[in-house]
Amino acid sequence: IVGVVINVILGSQFNAILGADITYRFDMVRPVGLQGSTMNLGVTFAFMYLFYLFYKPRENYVTAIPMTVGFAFVCILSSMRTPFVALLVSILFIFGGSLKRWVIGSAILLVLAPLFMNEYIEELIFMTIENFTNDPTESDYIRGIMIYFSGVLAIDYFPFGAGAASYGTFLSDNSPIYRDLGISTLWYFQQKWGIYDSNLASLLGEFGVFGITLFVYFLYKLIR
């Protein structure tokens, strides 16, 4: 937390001290904290938040909602979107672990959301939607590309997918599947940059509908 505060005060100078890349969003330097990475910072805050929330659930129930609002504010401030998954977990907890109450609570939040909208949040939402709706072959968002073509593979190789080490995993380098899809010449695949970022895409592309169903089933059993 102290690292983030110092980072916000010093801006890009803090990144230079750590030797961390300087990235911008909405003309602001994205904080990296002592973790040296925006995403690592976001994941750290997500685990801190969830740990506090679940450490003594009954005692912390009253503070759950303000903690959630505060964590959401940190995510928005640093434009970190992936850690928002932690918010989905917390909302389920706040509404007593009941799926029905969680759905009702989520619906209420969606209805109230426009009251808190501003230009910054609208731009963040627009950018997120645009990442997944642009032509994937011309997109500059690798996760959108990977998820889109994993769906293509899931359909073409229904129901078992294209097979292990063929798409979006470490051993899939120079996979013929990339050539078949016409994406092997894209910069991301040439540099092996970001193609491992989406576990969903890897599972769906390599193991298809059957694989993703099995994964969800075992995840459910593990959590239960």
Side-chain angles (χ1 to χ4, degrees), residues 41-114:
L41 174 65
V43 171
T44 301
F45 266 90
F47 277 118
M48 287 171 58
Y49 162 70
L50 288 175
F51 176 78
Y52 176 83
L53 200 64
F54 288 93
Y55 183 60
K56 293 181 178 178
R58 290 186 179 180
E59 292 181 19
N60 291 332
Y61 183 80
V62 176
T63 61
I65 293 178
M67 277 287 293
T68 300
V69 173
F71 176 68
F73 177 75
V74 171
C75 289
I76 293 171
L77 179 66
S78 57
S79 66
M80 297 178 296
R81 291 169 290 181
T82 302
F84 268 102
V85 172
L87 293 178
L88 298 178
V89 176
S90 66
I91 292 172
L92 183 61
F93 162 73
I94 289 169
F95 288 98
S98 164
L99 182 61
K100 180 179 179 180
R101 280 179 287 185
W102 181 79
V103 170
I104 295 173
S106 299
I108 292 173
L109 289 176
L110 286 174
V111 171
L112 296 178

Side-chain angles (χ1 to χ4, degrees), residues 140-161:
D140 59 354
Y141 187 65
I142 184 58
R143 296 187 188 107
I145 294 172
M146 295 304 295
I147 290 175
Y148 174 83
F149 284 106
S150 69
V152 172
L153 291 176
I155 294 172
D156 290 347
Y157 293 89
F158 183 84
F160 297 110

Side-chain angles (χ1 to χ4, degrees), residues 100-135:
K100 180 179 179 180
R101 280 179 287 185
W102 181 79
V103 170
I104 295 173
S106 299
I108 292 173
L109 289 176
L110 286 174
V111 171
L112 296 178
L115 298 177
F116 303 96
M117 293 295 283
N118 57 41
E119 186 176 345
Y120 180 91
I121 297 177
E122 287 176 358
E123 180 64 22
L124 202 62
I125 293 173
F126 172 77
M127 182 174 59
T128 303
I129 294 173
E130 192 177 43
N131 284 335
F132 291 96
T133 54
N134 285 343
D135 181 349

